Structures are given as structure tokens and as C-alpha cells.
Amino acid sequence: MADLSINYCGVTWKNPVTVASGTFGSGMEYGDFVNLSGLGAVTTKGVADHPWSGNPTPRVCETTGGMLNAIGLQNPGIDTFLARDIPFLKQYDVPVIVNVCGHSEQEYLNVVERLKDAPVDLLEINVSCPNVKEGGIAFGVDPKALERITGLVKEKAKQPVIMKLSPNVTDIAEMARAAEAGGADGLSLINTLTGMKIDIRRRSFLLANRTGGLSGPAVKPVALRMVWQVCHAVKLPVIGMGGIATAEDALEFIMAGATAVSVGTANFRNPRVTEEIVSGIAAFMEEQGIETLDEIRGCVG
């Protein structure tokens, strides 16, 4: 029988599939559809040190091959997360990755400090949200700022730190190396690409924020290329994401070098897609006589 398990930053996952932050809440919305214990890990929606209301509406729209969102990381804050979401997640036998967001260095550090003694396994630091005008976007596109915030978070964190990289840069490998230099334990990429849609009848921007983050199948070729580049640029384990909707998509990212994969927009179309991807990877491995994912990880060179 194929062994789908992986070790990511010292944490054992049953399989390489997690969910992209912001597309799965903290799992509560999906509990009736998905066996959370059957996932490799659950990645939470972004958590800040105080409640964020997010951007004004409209803030989501469909586009060719995907969707645009300008949610602005709406979240109830760390107090509610600790009181409500963690107890829910601890009912399941699954590693928990908490996505951390902030407008400033101190806001990131406040959340990391509060999570020190919480029963969570990994931290994913969102320094790359394209529709939050302060903080994250600046850290995500400046290698020096990225290295600095990585180092500051590492000083405070008890859990392994994953830095989530933005694709809205000239050289993704440079950003990966900056995070590695700052002491990151792992990387995740890509976050959404910055995009726009115009309502031609109203002659105005469709999103109140004007721009939003493009996700879904349209971004997959870009994401795959960037994951491949990063896996060759640094020695850190990578969670690959961007347009993954099938087991074949996931296997492409693994063959490009990713240790794990994250499924985002596809959850909105099919709440059971993550379970189907896990089953599809297992079926492919059985068909091809592959015993462990190490046999194919990075096999394209």
C-alpha cells in the first residue's frame, strides 16, 4: 500500500494535502462535508491581534478560470480564535497551521506571542496579501523587509515558521532566499496574483477595492513555475499552492519539488475536493508502483 505520509518541519502529516488560508475558515464550515482528520493538515484563516472588518463590499467576483477576492483578511481576532477555533480543531486528529496576519511588525509579533503556548503545530506568516494596503504587502515585496520580519517572528515563535510568499514580485527566488536568511523553517507559495475586473455597464470597478487577488485554475501555470524555481533556490520545504483542483494538479507540484500542497479556490466549487485529491494521489501511487512520495518529489529536475 502506498505511504502518503510526509514530514513537514518536524510535524508528521498523514498525507501532503492541506487547505489554503482564507478558503476553509478554521474547518467549521466544512465539518459536515469533510473528515478533517483525513487531511494532512488544516490551515486556518488569517488571525490578527484584534478584529478586522475587512474591505467594503463588493469584494468577490468570478473571472475567467478563477475568482478575484478583496476580502481584506476579515477575521474576529486572536481572542476569539483561541476561545472558539482551537477547541473545535483539537477535536480532530490533524495538525493545525495558524495563518498570522498584521499591519505592522508588532501586530504580527503580538499574535505569535499569544500562540506560543497554544496547541497548534505550525505558523504560516502572511506577509503577502495583495488586498491589504498596509503591512503585509510591503513585507511581501521587499526582500530586506521580508528577512527582517522573518527573523523577528522566529525570535518569538515556539512553533516552526512558514513564510507565505507573494507572486507579485520580479524575482521569487530572491524572496525565498530572503526568508531563508531570516531563519524561516518552511515556505508556502503562491499567494494570489493582483488582478482587476471592470463592470462595463456601470463603467466602474467591480470590486470596491478596485483590485483583488486572482486565484483558481488560471494561476496554476504561474504557481507551478514559481514553486519549481523556489525549490531549486533554497533548501526549505515548500507547500505549493495556486489553482490546484485535482490529484494531477497536486502531483505536478510535488514533482516540481513541493513537500506538500494546499487547495484553495476549488473548495468553494466542491467542498469534498481535498478528500478526492488525497484519494487520487493514493490511486496514482498504487497504479505506478510508487511506495512513498519521496520517489517522485522533484523528479522533473
Side-chain angles (χ1 to χ4, degrees):
M1 179 178 286
D3 179 7
L4 274 68
S5 67
I6 65 166
N7 183 295
Y8 191 86
C9 295
V11 179
T12 299
W13 300 17
K14 298 184 187 78
N15 60 69
V17 180
T18 185
V19 290
S21 176
T23 66
F24 208 74
S26 289
M28 284 178 274
E29 298 93 332
Y30 287 81
D32 291 338
F33 304 100
V34 182
N35 172 19
L36 300 186
S37 296
L39 297 178
V42 171
T43 304
T44 71
K45 184 169 173 55
V47 180
D49 70 348
H50 62 280
W52 287 10
S53 58
N55 291 325
T57 58
R59 53 190 190 179
V60 178
C61 67
E62 291 186 53
T63 188
T64 305
M67 63 178 281
L68 287 166
N69 95 82
I71 302 297
L73 294 173
Q74 177 182 348
N75 73 94
I78 186 66
D79 290 337
T80 298
F81 179 78
L82 291 171
R84 181 192 67 188
D85 296 30
I86 288 183
F88 170 80
L89 288 167
K90 296 318 292 182
Q91 300 175 85
Y92 300 92
D93 178 25
V94 63
V96 175
I97 305 172
V98 179
N99 183 279
V100 178
C101 56
H103 291 123
S104 66
E105 290 177 349
Q106 191 57 54
E107 288 188 12
Y108 281 101
L109 298 179
N110 290 344
V111 179
V112 171
E113 186 78 39
R114 294 288 303 280
L115 290 169
K116 268 188 175 181
D117 298 317
V120 300
D121 301 278
L122 297 151
L123 305 181
E124 180 183 60
I125 312 302
N126 186 358
V127 291
S128 56
C129 184
N131 53 72
V132 175
K133 294 182 175 62
E134 308 162 76
I137 188 65
F139 297 127
V141 300
D142 181 336
K144 291 182 179 178
L146 176 59
E147 181 177 346
R148 174 178 166 80
I149 190 65
T150 304
L152 291 172
V153 168
K154 276 295 294 177
E155 287 177 7
K156 292 282 186 183
K158 280 190 176 179
Q159 300 89 347
V161 171
I162 306 162
M163 301 304 290
K164 188 169 187 177
L165 302 184
S166 170
N168 301 301
V169 296
T170 303
D171 185 351
I172 192 68
E174 178 186 26
M175 303 305 294
R177 286 189 287 266
E180 185 176 47
D185 299 290
L187 300 173
S188 62
L189 67 148
I190 62 173
N191 209 324
T192 53
L193 288 156
T194 305
M196 178 184 288
K197 187 168 182 176
I198 292 173
D199 184 328
I200 60 170
R201 300 197 180 280
R202 291 175 55 235
R203 303 182 188 184
S204 64
F205 299 103
L206 200 145
L207 297 174
N209 197 57
R210 299 188 177 184
T211 62
L214 175 65
S215 63
V219 310
K220 185 193 142 197
V222 175
L224 188 64
R225 183 262 298 176
M226 288 191 169
V227 165
W228 177 80
Q229 282 183 290
V230 166
C231 288
H232 282 76
V234 298
K235 296 181 179 179
L236 302 178
V238 169
I239 302 175
M241 66 189 77
I244 296 174
T246 66
E248 181 174 332
D249 294 334
L251 286 159
E252 285 188 65
F253 278 83
I254 292 168
M255 290 184 183
T259 298
V261 295
S262 190
V263 181
T265 300
N267 289 302
F268 299 135
R269 179 183 58 82
N270 174 10
R272 297 185 174 89
V273 67
T274 45
E275 292 183 322
E276 293 172 7
I277 289 172
V278 172
S279 298
I281 293 172
F284 177 83
M285 292 174 69
E286 293 286 351
E287 172 198 313
Q288 297 288 314
I290 300 165
E291 294 184 4
T292 72
L293 290 169
D294 288 338
E295 296 175 36
I296 58 171
R297 182 172 293 108
C299 67
V300 297

